[in-house]
Amino acid sequence: MIRRPAFTSVAIALGLALTQTGAFAADSNADAANMRLSVAKRIFDTDNLNQSVGACQNLDAFVNAKWEAANPIPDDHTRWGSFTILAEKSLEDQHKIAEKAAANADQADQGSIRAKIGHFYQSGMDTAAIDKAGYQPIEPRLKKIAAIDSREELGTYLTQAFAAGQGQVFALDAGPDYKNATQIIAYVYQAGLGLPAPKYYTDKDYADLRAAYVDYMTKLFKLIGEPDDQAKADAKKAMAFETALARHSLSRVAMRDPNNQYHFVSLKEANKATPNFDWKRFFAAQGADIERGFSLSEPKFFAEFNKLLGNAPLDQWRAYLRFHAIDDAAPLLAQDFRDAHFNFYGTTLNGQPQQKARWKQTLDAINQAMGQALGQLYVARYFPPQAKARAEQMVANIQAALKKRIQNNDWMSDQTKQKALDKWSKFLPKIGYPEHWRSWKGLSISADDFYANMAAAAKFNHDYEMAYVGQPRDRQRWSMTPQTVNAYYNPTDNTINFPAAILQPPFFYAHGDDAVNYGGIGAVIGHEASHGYDDQGSQFDGNGNLVNWWTEADRKAFEARAQQLVEQFNQYTPIPGKPELHVNGKLTLGENIADLAGLTLAYDALQKALAENPKEANMKIDGFTENQRFFMAWARVWRGQSRDKALEVQLNSDPHSPMTYRAIGAPSNMPAFARAFNCEPGDKMVRPEDKRVDIW
């Protein structure tokens, strides 16, 4: 997951960890062994295996095709599989918490997070009040935009909008300084587009989608009372403005380069780069300490921003700002606005037939506004202390495998190995939830004004982030909430992070066999640790600084191996009838390296566990060996399917490869997979020796 990209996420579901020697400790008790065997049979339902397709031909089809055929994507989703099913479970758990909090909100301590969550949920579920309000909640903002009558007033509006937590045109957040990671600085970077990537504004293949986007703009303008002709004219102005920004925005691939994400400037240098915008006044309004300076990236984008500030007609600015004010608020407004927003972003862009249930929409909003507060209640109810202890041990097992891999690396010099091991020694794993919960004191939430609650939370969270600028880095801070079904690595603090919600079945089973657990949670833990050594993470040292710790020869060797993986994934074309749309090997390189390395580390850890437990090593379950079940478990992690439109958006904008190729991409490079299933040269899951990728 990449904003600047501050961190990289696995975007899958995980599970609990193992004991020190694996899911099974050595046990001579026959009854216990029989119990584990029985559980193991239930854990992996072999009735779902597609026996008409061998694992050596297509591991994904062998493990998942039968299940996918029997489990179509629900109408309120764009994709469906292991990850989304676990996310739905987390949402159901949150639903129970929110319903209970709402039922008891008036009786709870009015300063407590339970009362705030309860009242927030009540306000979001009161669609009668929301529909009655129409677009009244954003009228004050629209009036401010309408009143912009000079370049100075334009700058004032933009500054004040950011101070309210409702910034437009560019993005602002806080994070460790790439060159001095112990300190937090402000990052200002390109944004302001409503379509998934810059190419959507210029590529001829997306002309129809651009027309639909302009129609959507027109619809929103008409919903606030603009006559048809004015609405159409304003939509054209707003689209022309966005197109100008898009033409000067870096591509998704270019944005993956950390050197494009960071451009440190002093206030004087920033004001020289954009003389039409006063950054001193801007940051004073944000309450941010930028005495040392801040990152203003990307220069090309902000040169265009400055040009538009000076030359673009004010009525074009007003049209652009008005559209995005409505668009940003649309999911929080009356039904007509919600429908228009969904019809474009949900259906036209991503192919989703039906909106989510109202309670899900409300929880999405609460997660955006008060996610960690909801997570605090989630952890108290659903995450037992022993789960964290088990996960910590599993991380230690995988980290040990990573250290050994680095030590035994045969293409890296000793000089670079020592740097890599130094980085390894400084990894900080974080499991489940923050050590210290943030305070929500000062945030007022009512039971009867959903939009006002979201606006108050936006302002509160913006001030919270800006208060960190100029402060020392806190490696214990989290960028995900505990109820999030995901995990991530952050190169600027060298942490691997596993939220509570992913530390549960179906990716870990307390009484399951080692193979399924290492193929699930083990591979994902390995994935996150390996991000420290992918094409992005490898540019940061163990302290989180963007610094080259490689010899020139070693870096060239690494990049040559990585290029092989780029070429492998460039060959994958997931959408029938659109062979020109292939996976972007450069965009997805970091995730693909982490998949290959993570699965390799988990396999190494499994072999160690099996060596310590020969009885399990020689055991077959439903006719499959532990090594076979390991790779089958990995494929099941990536069980799922996507709507074609959503898949096209993913190919153009997401650094994660489609699920089917994550299931087969890494195993096809591993001789261990071929040995496990007795595959032969020429089988589709056995890459030729000269094309087989081996990095870590």
Side-chain angles (χ1 to χ4, degrees), residues 363-630:
L363 282 175
D364 284 348
I366 293 174
N367 272 297
Q368 176 186 339
M370 293 186 67
Q372 196 177 109
L374 181 57
Q376 190 171 347
L377 301 179
Y378 176 89
V379 166
R381 182 165 177 176
Y382 293 109
F383 192 61
Q386 59 268 32
K388 185 169 185 174
R390 290 171 181 160
E392 288 169 344
Q393 183 57 61
M394 184 61 164
V395 170
N397 293 347
I398 298 298
Q399 282 187 290
L402 174 57
K403 181 179 183 180
K404 188 173 182 179
R405 276 273 162 182
I406 295 171
Q407 291 172 328
N408 295 337
N409 185 291
D410 61 1
W411 56 264
M412 184 184 288
S413 68
D414 287 342
Q415 180 181 341
T416 305
K417 279 185 186 180
Q418 289 307 310
K419 297 289 188 179
L421 289 169
D422 177 72
K423 180 169 186 173
W424 174 90
S425 71
K426 295 174 180 176
F427 269 127
L428 174 64
K430 293 176 343 205
I431 310 296
Y433 52 89
E435 286 191 355
H436 304 288
W437 297 104
R438 64 175 284 193
S439 171
W440 296 90
K441 184 179 180 180
L443 175 62
S444 296
I445 299 295
S446 72
D448 57 4
D449 197 333
F450 186 47
Y451 181 86
N453 289 338
M454 289 296 292
K459 167 67 173 170
F460 186 83
N461 289 326
H462 175 73
D463 291 347
Y464 178 80
E465 286 299 314
M466 290 298 100
Y468 273 92
V469 176
Q471 301 298 312
R473 176 186 65 187
D474 179 2
R475 295 182 77 199
Q476 293 297 336
R477 288 194 75 196
W478 283 68
S479 298
M480 283 183 182
T481 63
Q483 64 274 26
T484 301
V485 181
N486 211 328
Y488 70 98
Y489 169 75
N490 189 338
T492 58
D493 62 17
N494 201 25
T495 62
I496 50 177
N497 307 264
F498 303 94
I502 56 174
L503 301 175
Q504 60 181 315
F507 298 96
F508 172 78
Y509 299 85
H511 300 289
D513 54 313
D514 279 335
V516 169
N517 285 313
Y518 275 107
I521 179 62
V524 176
I525 292 172
H527 173 105
E528 296 308 335
S530 300
H531 268 311
Y533 303 93
D534 69 15
D535 63 313
Q536 281 184 313
S538 62
Q539 297 184 58
F540 294 82
D541 67 11
N543 296 316
N545 292 313
L546 181 60
V547 60
N548 182 14
W549 46 270
W550 296 71
T551 66
E552 183 178 355
D554 288 341
R555 190 69 197 181
K556 286 182 178 179
F558 170 81
E559 290 175 352
R561 289 167 182 263
Q563 181 59 31
Q564 287 183 296
L565 205 56
V566 170
E567 293 167 1
Q568 175 185 344
F569 278 81
N570 278 344
Q571 302 304 309
Y572 295 140
T573 55
I575 303 177
K578 291 191 174 183
E580 73 281 2
L581 287 176
H582 61 82
V583 177
N584 188 327
K586 288 186 177 180
L587 178 62
T588 59
L589 180 58
E591 298 299 326
N592 298 335
I593 290 175
D595 278 352
L596 176 56
L599 189 61
T600 300
L601 295 178
Y603 182 81
D604 289 351
L606 172 63
Q607 301 313 302
K608 183 175 185 297
L610 294 179
E612 295 171 356
N613 190 353
K615 184 175 182 179
E616 184 178 350
N618 296 321
M619 178 176 62
K620 281 191 175 184
I621 300 173
D622 290 322
F624 294 97
T625 67
E626 285 291 271
N627 287 338
Q628 289 173 331
R629 284 170 66 83
F630 169 83

Side-chain angles (χ1 to χ4, degrees), residues 157-323:
Y157 170 79
L158 292 173
T159 295
Q160 292 176 346
F162 270 95
Q166 299 178 353
Q168 294 177 279
V169 189
F170 56 85
L172 167 68
D173 66 15
D177 186 339
Y178 277 19
K179 295 294 186 179
N180 181 19
T182 60
Q183 295 295 312
I184 301 298
I185 63 170
Y187 283 83
V188 179
Y189 51 101
Q190 70 180 42
L193 307 182
L195 295 177
K199 66 181 292 184
Y200 280 76
Y201 292 85
T202 56
D203 194 317
K204 62 181 178 61
D205 292 336
Y206 296 106
D208 290 345
L209 191 57
R210 287 194 293 275
Y213 187 42
V214 172
D215 288 344
Y216 168 61
M217 290 178 171
T218 304
K219 174 71 172 177
L220 291 192
F221 286 134
K222 291 169 69 174
L223 285 176
I224 63 167
E226 289 190 12
D228 286 1
D229 289 348
Q230 181 184 344
K232 291 178 181 178
D234 282 346
K236 290 181 180 179
K237 292 174 186 175
M239 185 59 172
F241 189 96
E242 275 195 39
T243 302
L245 291 179
R247 289 183 184 278
H248 293 82
S249 297
L250 294 182
S251 70
R252 290 289 185 260
V253 171
M255 279 297 294
R256 291 196 68 253
D257 184 348
N259 293 290
N260 287 333
Q261 302 160 16
Y262 180 82
H263 181 233
F264 193 84
V265 293
S266 66
L267 268 178
K268 183 178 180 180
E269 291 169 333
N271 284 335
K272 183 178 180 181
T274 59
N276 292 319
F277 194 73
D278 188 341
W279 291 104
K280 182 177 181 179
R281 184 176 66 154
F282 174 81
F283 278 109
Q286 314 312 315
D289 176 8
I290 57 157
E291 183 178 350
R292 287 180 52 245
F294 66 101
S295 175
L296 183 65
S297 60
E298 300 66 31
K300 181 182 176 183
F301 176 88
F302 283 98
E304 180 65 12
F305 169 63
N306 182 70
K307 179 181 175 182
L308 292 169
L309 282 171
N311 299 335
L314 288 177
D315 63 343
Q316 186 180 40
W317 267 101
R318 288 191 293 265
Y320 169 81
L321 295 173
R322 188 161 57 252
F323 164 67

Side-chain angles (χ1 to χ4, degrees), residues 37-112:
L37 179 60
S38 176
V39 170
K41 285 176 175 287
R42 294 197 303 271
I43 285 171
F44 204 106
D45 184 2
T46 54
D47 289 341
N48 276 322
L49 296 177
N50 181 6
Q51 301 290 355
S52 66
V53 180
C56 294
Q57 301 307 313
N58 188 323
L59 178 64
D60 178 58
F62 174 64
V63 174
N64 297 324
K66 188 175 179 181
W67 181 92
E68 290 167 2
N71 292 272
I73 304 170
D75 285 347
D76 64 342
H77 282 75
T78 58
R79 53 181 54 87
W80 190 247
S82 297
F83 173 68
T84 42
I85 289 171
L86 188 54
E88 282 290 296
K89 179 186 180 301
S90 175
L91 207 58
E92 291 282 358
D93 292 340
Q94 296 168 52
H95 189 202
K96 294 172 187 174
I97 292 170
E99 288 278 359
K100 185 176 180 180
N104 299 299
D106 292 339
Q107 291 74 42
D109 178 353
Q110 293 308 293
S112 68

